[in-house]
Amino acid sequence: MMTFLKTLLIGSLLVTTGALADDASALRDKLAGIDSLHTTFTQKVTDVNNKVIQSGSGLFALAYPNQFYWHLTEPDESLIVADGTNLWLYNPFAEEVTVMDISQAIEASPMALLVHRDDKTWAQYNVAQTSGNANNQCYQITPKGDQSSVVDVNVCFNQQTLTGFSLVDGQGNLSQFSLAEQREVKADETAIFTFVLPDNVDIDDQRLKQPQ
């Protein structure tokens, strides 16, 4: 489960470099209009043989910059919280928490582009638009290097509304997420981006240690 959570936090057509740059700009423009997002989601994960290996649902929220909340409530609970500095991954069943620097998460998954807007981060990925219908505009994001556990991400919009996304990991598993009830994060909801460490859990601290 924890490996899947880390993976979460990350076209066959040939396109020119100019087209890729234009597609990246178009996606950045759409994401620039989303300073915060609060939405429910349904999830389906299939393996390389298109066999369903997991289905679920939960709550997803993000806020610029670098704040992220992912709460899977079914079938088994799990939680991801990015507070702007740290990324927390909590598995209640195993009673364990993994924590890493937000910069590590940015390097690990193209999903970081949803809450990060600097040129250096975007330069690590290729972006290509895969459909151009105004009501269903999708963009494929692939890392330029091999450091990511996520090898392919697609994000889709209806006009300016983020409607869903999908991820392919290194084993070929496809995770598809459909969003509903999208709205902005309310002022009294911002506490969801603060992780409260539960009692009696094992902590795996993977944060980069600063030299003394």
Side-chain angles (χ1 to χ4, degrees), residues 101-187:
D101 293 329
I102 190 69
S103 60
Q104 295 170 278
I106 289 169
E107 294 171 356
S109 173
M111 289 301 294
L113 298 183
L114 294 179
V115 290
H116 215 73
R117 297 177 184 171
D118 71 288
D119 293 338
K120 181 180 178 180
T121 301
W122 280 78
Q124 299 177 43
Y125 301 98
N126 291 316
V127 179
Q129 186 171 349
T130 56
S131 64
N133 186 312
N135 295 326
N136 185 33
Q137 292 181 324
C138 296
Y139 298 84
Q140 183 185 46
I141 307 169
T142 53
K144 293 180 179 179
D146 57 3
Q147 76 281 4
S148 176
S149 57
V150 177
V151 299
D152 186 289
V153 170
N154 276 273
V155 294
C156 294
F157 298 80
N158 182 343
Q159 303 293 338
Q160 299 301 118
T161 302
L162 181 65
T163 57
F165 48 87
S166 62
L167 305 87
V168 179
D169 66 21
Q171 287 71 49
N173 297 321
L174 171 64
S175 303
Q176 298 172 288
F177 304 91
S178 297
L179 308 183
E181 302 176 351
Q182 296 95 324
R183 59 173 174 80
E184 293 184 348
V185 176
K186 298 178 182 178

Side-chain angles (χ1 to χ4, degrees), residues 1-10 60-61 67-70 79-82 86-90 98-115 125 148-151 153 165 167 169 175 177:
M1 175 61 72
M2 193 60 65
T3 299
F4 173 75
L5 293 178
K6 293 178 181 178
T7 298
L8 172 64
L9 289 174
I10 14 169
F60 166 51
Q67 293 181 303
F68 188 91
Y69 178 87
W70 183 272
L79 179 64
I80 305 172
V81 179
N86 302 303
L87 180 76
W88 304 85
L89 303 100
Y90 175 42
T98 299
V99 57
M100 62 183 70
D101 293 329
I102 190 69
S103 60
Q104 295 170 278
I106 289 169
E107 294 171 356
S109 173
M111 289 301 294
L113 298 183
L114 294 179
V115 290
Y125 301 98
S148 176
S149 57
V150 177
V151 299
V153 170
F165 48 87
L167 305 87
D169 66 21
S175 303
F177 304 91

